[in-house]
């Protein structure tokens, strides 16, 4: 038991039907019926491998995209191919989530075999709209189609989807009401790294916050400054621009217009209080790179100062690039910060989709202490909220002692 949740160390999986929820949601290339990245699939391989090696009958549940980001809303068939290649054994796939075909395929599984079901979000109850508008309790989630049809066929639920742990949805929080449950290896690892970072980081502990998810970045900044985890916050990207504007610095009319257009005007006011209270800990860019009057990257002096801070730190957490790193004229700031991340002695954690992309682009994957699969979950975790999936797994640990018979 760790964090009040059962781990894979406590279960025997031989001959058991295991529902294993993973987060292998990736950008899709519809034209070639393939995935543009396989980072998250690679990350869940150790758990799946362990379950198969132990003789489990593994049923994988996953989502791919959603109704609101329709371009990525897709079947999980390409994921099964990637998984098969990575595992070096066939992962079966079925064009069904919890209907008769899926249930038959589950019944036919043998020890050491794996089956990936189709996109769980093809079931409406798994959609964000349902989550937000209906706010089903966890007990109600147990009555949804996917949970009520699949749980009776299974002996154990394993959640390895830390990246989706902030989602209050049936395939994530419903099975824990009916089945003995535990977290997978990736979930456990990400939970450990992040709680360590929050509770007892090696100091100095530096947070580098940039990018364009402004609301999340400010929430996180406030949390780590209030809670004392951060000794220093280095800011860049749109987040840095907003803080500069809050301080009354001139960032150019085009930058201000962009902030207004994106709907972040209110943060210029609200971040003033943050600056007054923690001004000594928050570092702002001292120079910027402009494209058509708009500030799109931190300048060379700022990047050099951030490099020094990162190299002097013992722990560094990064979320969000320093500029529009996708374009060559505004990538230098991000590249320089990532150079320092690669050669600092500090323990480094990088989280967020675009930040992981930057890490790959600059060839630093091997040099980062921990690349976190979760964006939203990570941010919500850092704000101190108990994540819905964590709550559900803790509930299961109390109701279903592992090793016991099914109720
Ligand atoms: P992550 O995915 O790592 O959490 P975000 O999604 O918050 O990061 O931010 C990444 C995006 O922010 C990138 O697409 C980048 O182009 C954009 N960005 C960075 N700096 C700026 C800036 N100064 N103005 C506008 N967009 C920016
Ligand atoms: Mg992003």
């Amino acid at each position: 038991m760790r964090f009040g949740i059962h781990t894979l160390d406590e279960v025997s999986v031989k001959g058991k039907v295991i529902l294993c929820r993973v987060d292998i949601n990736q950008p899709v290339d519809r034209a070639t019926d393939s995935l543009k990245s396989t980072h998250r699939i690679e990350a869940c391989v150790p758990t799946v491998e362990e379950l198969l090696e132990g003789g489990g009958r593994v049923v994988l549940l996953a989502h791919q995209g959603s109704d609101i980001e329709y371009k990525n809303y897709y079947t999980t068939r390409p994921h099964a191919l990637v998984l098969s290649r990575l595992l070096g054994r066939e992962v079966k796939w079925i064009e069904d989530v919890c209907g008769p075909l899926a249930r038959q395929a589950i019944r036919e599984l043998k020890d050491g075999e794996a089956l990936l079901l189709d996109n769980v979000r093809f079931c409406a109850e798994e959609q964000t709209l349902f989550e937000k508008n209906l706010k089903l309790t966890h007990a109600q989630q147990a009555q949804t189609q996917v949970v009520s049809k699949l749980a009776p066929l299974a002996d154990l639920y394993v959640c390895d989807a830390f990246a989706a742990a902030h989602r209050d949805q049936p395939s994530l929080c419903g099975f824990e009401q009916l089945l003995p449950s535990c977290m997978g290896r990736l979930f456990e690892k990400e939970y450990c790294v992040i709680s360590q970072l929050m509770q007892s980081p090696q100091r100095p502990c530096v947070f580098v916050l940039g990018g364009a998810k402004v609301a999340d970045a400010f929430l996180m900044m406030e949390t780590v400054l209030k809670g004392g985890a951060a000794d220093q916050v280095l800011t860049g990207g749109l987040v840095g621009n907003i803080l500069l504007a809050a301080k009354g610095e001139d960032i150019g009319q085009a930058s201000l217009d962009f902030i207004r257009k994106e709907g972040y005007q209110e943060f210029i006011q609200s971040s003033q209080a943050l600056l007054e209270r923690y001004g000594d800990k928050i570092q702002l860019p001292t120079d910027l790179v402009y494209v058509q009057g708009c500030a799109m990257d931190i300048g060379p002096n700022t990047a050099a100062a951030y490099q020094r801070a990162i190299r002097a730190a013992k722990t560094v957490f990064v979320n969000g690039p320093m500029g529009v790193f996708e374009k060559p004229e505004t990538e230098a700031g991000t590249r320089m910060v990532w150079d320092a991340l690669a050669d600092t002695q500090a323990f480094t954690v990088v989280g967020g989709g675009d930040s992981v992309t930057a890490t790959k682009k600059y060839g630093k994957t091997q040099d980062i202490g921990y690349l976190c699969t979760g964006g939203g979950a990570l941010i919500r975790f850092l704000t101190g909220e108990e994540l819905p999936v964590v709550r559900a797994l803790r509930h299961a640990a109390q109701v279903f002692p592992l090793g016991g018979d099914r109720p």
Side-chain angles (χ1 to χ4, degrees):
M1 196 102 111
R2 229 170 167 182
F3 314 111
I5 299 172
H6 288 302
T7 72
L8 281 180
D9 291 327
E10 296 155 75
V11 295
S12 78
V13 296
K14 175 105 186 97
K16 286 188 178 157
V17 174
I18 301 149
L19 297 175
C20 180
R21 175 64 158 98
V22 290
D23 186 337
I24 48 177
N25 184 25
Q26 299 277 214
V28 162
D29 185 351
R30 285 172 184 262
T32 57
D33 189 31
S34 65
L35 304 172
K36 290 183 185 165
S37 161
T38 54
H39 174 68
R40 283 181 166 165
I41 305 187
E42 288 156 33
C44 75
V45 161
T47 297
V48 180
E49 206 153 46
E50 185 173 340
L51 296 174
L52 292 173
E53 292 293 322
R57 307 174 178 199
V58 182
V59 182
L60 296 161
L61 292 116
H63 72 276
Q64 174 56 53
S66 73
D67 48 349
I68 29 192
E69 43 146 16
Y70 197 72
K71 61 183 188 312
N72 278 324
Y73 193 43
Y74 204 66
T75 160
T76 59
R77 186 181 52 232
H79 308 65
L81 295 176
V82 174
L83 256 177
S84 299
R85 178 168 54 74
L86 292 172
L87 285 163
R89 59 171 110 192
E90 191 202 0
V91 172
K92 297 178 185 184
W93 178 81
I94 189 132
E95 194 180 348
D96 189 14
V97 180
C98 58
L101 281 180
R103 301 203 298 274
Q104 189 53 36
I106 293 172
R107 286 194 197 93
E108 284 168 7
L109 276 180
K110 301 196 177 61
D111 293 5
E113 287 186 351
L115 165 74
L116 174 63
L117 301 174
D118 211 347
N119 188 350
V120 277
R121 287 192 180 165
F122 288 164
C123 299
E125 289 162 326
E126 202 62 34
Q127 287 288 357
T128 324
L129 286 175
F130 258 73
E131 179 189 3
K132 298 250 160 70
N133 294 338
L134 291 187
K135 294 194 195 315
L136 298 181
T137 63
H138 288 181
Q140 287 168 328
Q141 289 181 26
Q143 294 162 31
T144 58
Q145 281 284 309
V146 71
V147 180
S148 66
K149 297 283 184 194
L150 298 183
L153 303 179
D155 303 294
L156 177 71
Y157 174 75
V158 176
C159 188
D160 212 23
F162 187 80
H166 59 304
R167 297 252 167 247
D168 212 340
Q169 296 177 345
S171 74
L172 290 153
C173 301
F175 291 107
E176 290 93 328
Q177 317 308 311
L178 303 174
L179 290 173
S181 305
C182 69
M183 56 185 165
R185 295 299 179 197
L186 176 64
F187 196 110
E188 186 180 348
K189 186 168 171 195
E190 302 211 313
Y191 197 149
C192 276
V193 168
I194 294 161
S195 31
Q196 158 82 15
L197 185 69
M198 282 304 275
Q199 281 153 19
S200 48
Q202 293 252 56
R203 296 188 184 276
C205 175
V206 173
F207 280 73
V208 184
L209 301 178
K213 285 202 297 288
V214 172
D216 284 346
F218 277 106
L219 188 61
M220 185 145 71
M221 200 182 308
E222 199 174 340
T223 312
V224 297
L225 285 166
K226 258 193 197 153
D231 297 306
Q232 214 179 6
V233 179
L234 313 177
T235 61
L238 207 50
V239 179
N241 289 356
I242 288 172
L243 285 166
L244 286 169
K247 215 180 158 194
E249 304 273 350
D250 180 18
I251 56 168
Q253 193 55 43
S255 308
L256 289 173
D257 290 344
F258 184 75
I259 291 169
R260 195 168 298 124
K261 182 177 106 306
E262 295 290 304
Y264 295 133
Q265 178 73 12
E266 56 169 307
F267 288 95
I268 297 182
Q269 278 84 43
S270 62
S271 61
Q272 276 164 2
L274 207 61
L275 280 174
E276 267 164 38
R277 190 145 169 222
Y278 301 106
D280 56 328
K281 292 191 167 171
I282 303 175
Q283 276 206 44
L284 307 186
T286 53
D287 55 346
L288 296 164
V289 174
Y290 292 87
V291 175
Q292 293 173 340
C294 197
M296 307 265 263
D297 192 12
I298 58 171
N301 297 333
T302 308
Y306 287 5
Q307 284 191 324
R308 287 192 290 277
I310 290 168
R311 287 178 178 137
K314 289 268 172 55
T315 308
V316 185
F317 173 88
V318 187
N319 183 222
M322 295 293 98
V324 181
F325 73 101
E326 297 90 341
K327 300 223 171 95
E329 60 275 24
T330 48
E331 70 158 337
T334 304
R335 184 191 284 277
M336 281 177 74
V337 162
W338 257 254
D339 281 345
L341 288 175
D343 62 28
T344 179
Q345 297 298 309
F347 178 63
T348 48
V349 179
V350 171
D354 292 292
S355 303
V356 170
T357 304
T359 309
K360 299 223 156 127
K361 177 171 179 184
Y362 300 129
K364 309 294 188 196
T365 311
Q366 300 307 320
D367 307 310
I368 303 297
Y370 195 66
L371 267 188
C372 205
T373 56
L378 178 66
I379 287 160
R380 283 193 189 74
F381 188 94
L382 292 180
T383 63
E385 259 177 57
E386 187 183 44
L387 303 170
V389 177
V390 168
R391 181 157 57 85
L393 286 167
R394 285 188 176 139
H395 164 83
Q398 292 185 344
V399 180
F400 308 107
L402 282 185
D405 291 330
R406 293 183 61 200

